């Protein structure tokens, strides 16, 4: 198979439910040959990549993948899915000279400083742009955090482990809900609450407190039920609680990172919830967080609406 110039690369976003691939010009960040596969359609990462490469007339000599999981020492382990693989494994399987692996939050963090207003939806009041760290929350099946910190003419990605942060209740009602979704003894952590599975768990907890059975609904069904002309009160309360809790976390992270450059909500869940997050509850919770000095009230907040930010970040890792 012919190869493209070394300024082109296969870039990918590897998640537990979806796989996105494209061919990127790593100088211009232009992309084509975009595909979106379901992860469940493939028994291995090699089969998924082979299906994509087979569709290309020319094969780039470089590959960069953003993985929704843990990446260390050239080895990746996907969360919420049994795949694990190494850069060497993919190099050997496809004879691609350069293979780069990174966490998806790192890829998103790399691309955020280059986003334009066309890629963003503002939450709350417009704030004058300021130079400073940009805090990023990636919320999907897991919750991840990072900061893009200005260093000289560029940016440095500082990665966190938000999913492992303890989540505490602020009043008796919150404690009741959290105890209902607690999975065994030990700490309640953010990935049990501020994720798509956490949101569904809160909804079922509220139903059970009202004497109803669990629903087995996912995010889309809960959002739809909350938006009916006569909304499901438990769905509505679930979304309001989620917006409050996410705003609280976002405000605390903005303060912790000193995020004068803004707070950015990325991932599928903030986009699914954009109507809820822009109606006021999130903004009020965000501005009240971060301590009595009111730092968070000066931080601009945006939802990242562009769907290819992880692919852009994967390309930037090779530039």
């Amino acid at each position: 198979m012919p190869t493209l110039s070394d300024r082109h690369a296969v870039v990918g976003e590897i998640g537990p439910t979806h796989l996105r691939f494209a061919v990127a010009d790593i100088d211009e960040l232009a992309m084509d040959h975009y595909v979106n596969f379901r992860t469940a359609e493939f028994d291995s990462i090699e089969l998924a990549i082979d299906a994509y490469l087979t569709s290309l007339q020319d094969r780039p000599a470089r590959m960069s993948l953003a993985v929704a999981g843990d990446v260390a020492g050239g080895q990746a382990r996907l969360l919420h899915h049994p795949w694990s693989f190494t850069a060497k494994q993919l190099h050997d399987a496809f004879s691609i000279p350069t293979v780069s692996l990174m966490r998806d939050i790192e890829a998103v963090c790399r691309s955020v400083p280059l986003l334009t207003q066309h890629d963003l939806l503002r939450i709350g009041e417009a704030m004058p742009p300021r130079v400073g760290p940009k805090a990023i929350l990636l919320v999907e099946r897991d919750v991840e955090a990072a900061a893009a910190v200005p260093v000289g003419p560029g940016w440095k990605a500082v990665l966190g482990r938000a999913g492992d942060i303890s989540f505490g209740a602020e009043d008796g009602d919150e404690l009741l809900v959290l105890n209902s979704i607690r999975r065994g003894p030990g700490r309640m952590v953010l990935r049990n609450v501020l994720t798509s599975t956490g949101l569904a768990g809160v909804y079922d907890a509220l139903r059970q407190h009202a004497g109803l059975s669990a629903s087995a609904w996912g995010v889309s069904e809960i959002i739809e039920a909350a938006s009916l002309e006569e909304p499901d009160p438990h769905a509505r309360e679930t979304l309001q609680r989620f917006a409050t809790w996410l705003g609280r976390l976002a405000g605390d992270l903005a303060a912790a990172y000193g995020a004068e450059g803004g707070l950015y909500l990325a991932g599928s869940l903030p986009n699914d919830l954009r109507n809820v997050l822009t109606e006021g509850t999130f903004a009020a919770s965000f501005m009240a967080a971060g301590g009595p000095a009111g730092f968070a009230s000066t931080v601009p907040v945006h939802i990242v609406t562009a769907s290819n930010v992880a692919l852009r970040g994967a390309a930037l890792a090779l530039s």
Side-chain angles (χ1 to χ4, degrees):
M1 176 181 290
T3 59
L4 294 172
S5 77
D6 64 1
R7 307 310 295 169
H8 288 83
V10 171
V11 292
E13 182 182 353
I14 311 301
T17 59
H18 65 264
L19 307 166
R20 299 186 179 107
F21 295 102
V23 173
D25 180 321
I26 62 177
D27 294 319
E28 302 294 334
L29 294 186
M31 298 189 190
D32 56 19
H33 302 291
Y34 179 89
V35 300
N36 190 352
F37 295 144
R38 292 180 59 229
T39 308
E41 294 175 350
F42 301 94
D43 292 331
S44 68
I45 184 67
E46 290 94 339
L47 289 174
I49 293 173
D50 183 65
Y52 180 66
L53 293 178
T54 300
S55 72
L56 301 179
Q57 182 176 356
D58 301 312
R59 175 181 295 186
R62 308 173 86 181
M63 178 183 292
S64 185
L65 304 180
V67 181
D70 292 321
V71 178
Q75 181 164 348
R77 180 178 64 86
L78 195 59
L79 293 179
H80 309 291
H81 198 79
W83 286 358
S84 62
F85 51 93
T86 66
K88 184 179 185 304
Q89 180 180 334
L90 301 182
H91 163 81
D92 293 344
F94 301 106
S95 299
I96 294 178
T98 300
V99 178
S100 174
L101 305 178
M102 74 203 71
R103 288 170 59 195
D104 54 352
I105 184 62
E106 178 182 351
V108 172
C109 189
R110 287 177 178 272
S111 62
V112 160
L114 302 183
L115 298 179
T116 70
Q117 291 304 312
H118 297 292
D119 302 313
L120 303 168
L121 173 65
R122 189 179 72 244
I123 296 178
E125 297 180 7
M127 300 284 185
R130 293 192 291 173
V131 176
K134 298 176 182 291
I136 297 103
L137 263 176
L138 177 60
V139 189
E140 294 186 330
R141 290 283 298 276
D142 204 351
V143 54
E144 301 179 83
V149 180
V151 177
W155 296 83
K156 177 179 176 60
V158 179
L159 308 183
R161 292 281 180 179
D164 295 318
I165 295 174
S166 296
F167 186 88
E170 284 199 348
D171 56 39
D173 285 343
E174 287 189 358
L175 183 60
L176 210 62
V177 173
L178 294 178
N179 280 336
S180 296
I181 62 176
R182 184 182 297 276
R183 299 184 179 94
R187 295 183 305 138
M188 174 67 73
V189 295
L190 290 179
R191 67 168 49 91
N192 299 141
V193 183
L194 292 180
T195 58
S196 55
T197 53
L199 188 149
V202 171
Y203 177 66
D204 281 341
L206 293 173
R207 283 179 57 88
Q208 289 168 340
H209 286 164
L212 303 172
S213 61
S215 68
W217 277 3
V219 171
S220 59
E221 291 91 349
I222 295 169
I223 293 172
E224 182 178 358
S227 60
L228 296 173
E229 186 173 341
E230 295 185 9
D232 177 336
H234 308 301
R236 185 65 185 162
E237 183 180 350
T238 295
L239 299 185
Q240 291 299 307
R241 286 188 180 274
F242 193 91
T244 296
W245 293 341
L246 186 61
R248 187 186 304 166
L249 169 64
D252 285 344
L253 284 177
Y257 283 127
E260 295 182 330
L263 185 286
Y264 296 80
L265 296 171
S268 59
L269 196 49
N271 279 281
D272 289 340
L273 297 174
R274 65 175 67 179
N275 290 337
V276 177
L277 296 178
T278 54
E279 67 181 15
T281 301
F282 172 92
S285 181
F286 177 85
M287 289 189 291
F295 175 82
S297 65
T298 68
V299 175
V301 183
H302 294 88
I303 296 173
V304 177
T305 56
S307 61
N308 65 350
V309 285
L311 297 179
R312 294 189 212 179
L316 284 166
L318 299 174
S319 62

